Amino acid sequence: MRNPITLSLVKAFAVVILLASLVATPLCLSAQSYQTEEAKKSVARQKGLYIYQFLKNIEWPKGVISDELVVGVYGDEYVFKQLSTSCSGALIGSHKIKIVRYISATEVTKDCHIVYVSENKSSQVSAISAKNGKSTIIIGNKNGLLSSGAIINFIVKANKLAFEINKTKADIFRLTFSQLLLKLAVNKE
């Protein structure tokens, strides 16, 4: 029987290795409309892995999540497919992950705990934020979205996928980010 402290350290080390490998993986920078099918799938895989790690490394206030942890995707079929195949039905603590695809911003309800908004739908971030308030963590995908309502935002830095965190807004929402996520974020507002 293994020592629980050893198991915790092994799990923490595995998370560090995964996130470090994501940070070190080059990203195809050409505009999304010009990316090949394989490049789009590769970027979606990276974003899916990040989103899963966000789920594992963010603590919501008590009572916000009852049964299912609802993860929404708005505007990116590739990220939706990636999350559906890799995360749907998985458990974060005692909460089962449910992946939902949204066709319009008005469909994103307060039942959605975290929503990824694609770059081509980024103009809707403010509207989603205003409508859902503290209920939904918005993950953006375009420079400048932290000031528009996103709490996490994917950016490209040195030709690699990275993320930034709006720590001020997260504190207002009473969200707790792990020290690992805070350390890996390239920008914390």
Side-chain angles (χ1 to χ4, degrees):
M1 180 184 258
R2 287 191 172 174
N3 181 336
I5 294 172
T6 304
L7 286 175
S8 293
L9 289 173
V10 168
K11 286 180 183 179
F13 182 71
V15 168
V16 169
I17 295 297
L18 175 64
L19 288 172
S21 68
L22 284 171
V23 170
T25 304
L27 182 67
C28 181
L29 276 181
S30 54
Q32 194 161 6
S33 60
Y34 297 112
Q35 288 181 347
T36 65
E37 190 82 8
E38 261 327 291
K40 289 178 183 179
K41 287 179 182 178
S42 175
V43 171
R45 264 191 303 276
Q46 290 177 43
K47 289 178 181 176
L49 287 169
Y50 267 124
I51 292 168
Y52 183 68
Q53 289 304 317
F54 296 154
L55 293 169
K56 289 174 59 176
N57 287 281
I58 296 173
E59 186 178 319
W60 277 263
K62 292 201 184 304
V64 171
I65 304 170
S66 55
D67 185 28
E68 292 182 316
L69 180 55
V70 179
V71 179
V73 178
Y74 175 47
D76 192 322
E77 176 184 349
Y78 295 98
V79 172
F80 172 74
K81 286 180 180 177
Q82 172 63 33
L83 289 171
S84 292
T85 56
S86 63
C87 298
S88 191
L91 292 176
I92 300 292
S94 62
H95 307 290
K96 189 175 182 180
I97 298 174
K98 178 181 178 182
I99 309 299
V100 178
R101 182 177 182 194
Y102 297 111
I103 305 302
S104 74
T106 58
E107 293 178 328
V108 182
T109 65
K110 292 181 179 185
D111 294 337
C112 181
H113 299 102
I114 190 166
V115 63
Y116 167 78
V117 179
S118 69
E119 184 175 4
N120 64 335
K121 302 293 185 182
S122 62
S123 64
Q124 300 296 311
V125 166
S126 293
I128 295 169
S129 179
K131 178 181 151 203
N132 289 13
K134 296 180 181 180
S135 300
T136 305
I137 296 174
I138 298 172
I139 302 174
N141 194 40
K142 186 177 181 182
N143 285 333
L145 287 183
L146 290 184
S147 61
S148 297
I151 291 183
I152 301 171
N153 191 41
F154 285 123
I155 58 171
V156 176
K157 187 165 183 149
N159 203 30
K160 294 179 179 76
L161 185 64
F163 66 94
E164 52 189 2
I165 295 173
N166 186 331
K167 181 77 169 86
T168 303
K169 191 164 186 173
D171 289 343
I172 292 169
F173 283 26
R174 297 187 343 247
L175 298 166
T176 304
F177 287 83
S178 72
Q179 289 301 311
L180 177 62
L181 282 185
L182 293 173
K183 183 178 179 182
L184 291 173
V186 295
N187 180 27
K188 294 169 276 301
E189 288 188 2

